[in-house]
Amino acid sequence: MSTILAIETSSELASCALLRGDLVISRDASGVRTHSQSILPMVQSLLEEAGIALKDCDAIAYGCGPGSFTGVRTACGVAQGLAFGAGLPVVPVVTLDAMALACRQQYPADEIVAILDARMGEVYWAQYRYADGWQTVVAPALCAPEAVRPQGESASACGNGLSAYPEAFVEQAFAAVQPDVMPHAIQIGQLARVAFAAGAGLPAAQAQPLYLRNKIAFTSAERLDMKIAKAAAEALL
């Protein structure tokens, strides 16, 4: 199996994970001012624990969004910088896909609606079905909480959008409600490993966030984060 380093910063929780064979290790950080300050030390810690260098990885995965505007750009920028520095491909993974996987792992369900707080009175959401593999029933979308309309019946719902706007979902007939399920680097890495095996790796230059609101160019500070990550990759090789 491929060795995947995964980065996820789309919510208040920043996480990194390393998948190498059957080994899965991770690091989490919350409450920091900026995720960009915590990601690289966590990456270094993971590599040291596994006893490998960055060059021993096959690809770098990242949660491409949707999610926190700054957060998804941080994950993309850091992943791109590390990939450039190490000469590795990147694998973008949709954060709502990762939430659906986490929901199924923790609370067995085949019909899942992932709902992530998008702030400004809106949510990101998507619907999935697991039947010998994942199927996207409703593609990731941005809307008011009241406009979330799952297809079919008896879907389980997950994500902090449920707790952010509880009144909007009172009449939804969800089979289960799990607001604690959020995007994490472990599921990003698990999905990326499958995608990478199927040939989904991209050159670092093609790393992009997934925007459901207007796309905006990287700021000078975010470009600096990319340069720092690129330079740090040399020390991790």
Side-chain angles (χ1 to χ4, degrees), residues 6-219:
I7 297 169
E8 164 51 36
T9 60
S10 66
S11 68
E12 291 81 3
L13 178 71
S15 59
C16 292
L18 183 69
L19 287 71
R20 181 174 174 82
D22 294 329
L23 175 70
V24 179
I25 53 178
S26 66
R27 298 286 187 274
D28 300 339
S30 60
V32 297
R33 183 176 180 183
T34 61
H35 288 330
S36 61
Q37 296 174 353
S38 61
I39 286 296
L40 290 177
M42 289 196 296
V43 168
Q44 183 176 11
S45 176
L46 285 178
L47 295 174
E48 289 177 351
E49 180 178 342
I52 64 173
L54 186 61
K55 65 181 179 181
D56 297 319
C57 295
D58 294 301
I60 298 177
Y62 67 98
C64 64
S68 159
F69 181 75
T70 301
V72 296
R73 291 155 70 91
T74 295
C76 178
V78 172
Q80 187 178 65
L82 289 173
F84 267 128
L88 297 174
V90 297
V91 183
V93 176
V94 176
T95 52
L96 298 173
D97 293 8
M99 290 171 63
L101 176 58
C103 186
R104 188 169 192 274
Q105 290 173 341
Q106 298 175 40
Y107 311 99
D110 294 330
E111 297 282 343
I112 299 171
V113 177
I115 306 173
L116 191 61
D117 183 12
R119 307 296 175 90
M120 298 188 290
E122 295 179 309
V123 295
Y124 300 115
W125 78 286
Q127 184 175 353
Y128 303 90
R129 176 176 298 123
Y130 187 86
D132 295 325
W134 286 103
Q135 303 171 17
T136 301
V137 178
V138 178
L142 172 69
C143 68
E146 297 81 4
V148 173
R149 292 290 182 268
Q151 296 184 15
E153 299 178 356
S154 300
S156 294
C158 66
N160 67 352
L162 296 164
S163 53
Y165 309 100
E167 68 286 347
F169 302 104
V170 170
E171 297 182 2
Q172 294 279 14
F174 293 127
V177 176
Q178 310 295 347
D180 58 312
V181 174
M182 293 291 287
H184 195 281
I186 290 178
Q187 286 76 33
I188 295 292
Q190 290 169 336
L191 291 173
R193 177 178 268 177
V194 174
F196 183 70
L202 299 174
Q206 294 183 24
Q208 292 290 332
L210 171 63
Y211 292 108
L212 295 183
R213 288 193 173 113
N214 293 335
K215 181 175 179 179
I216 301 175
F218 284 107
T219 66

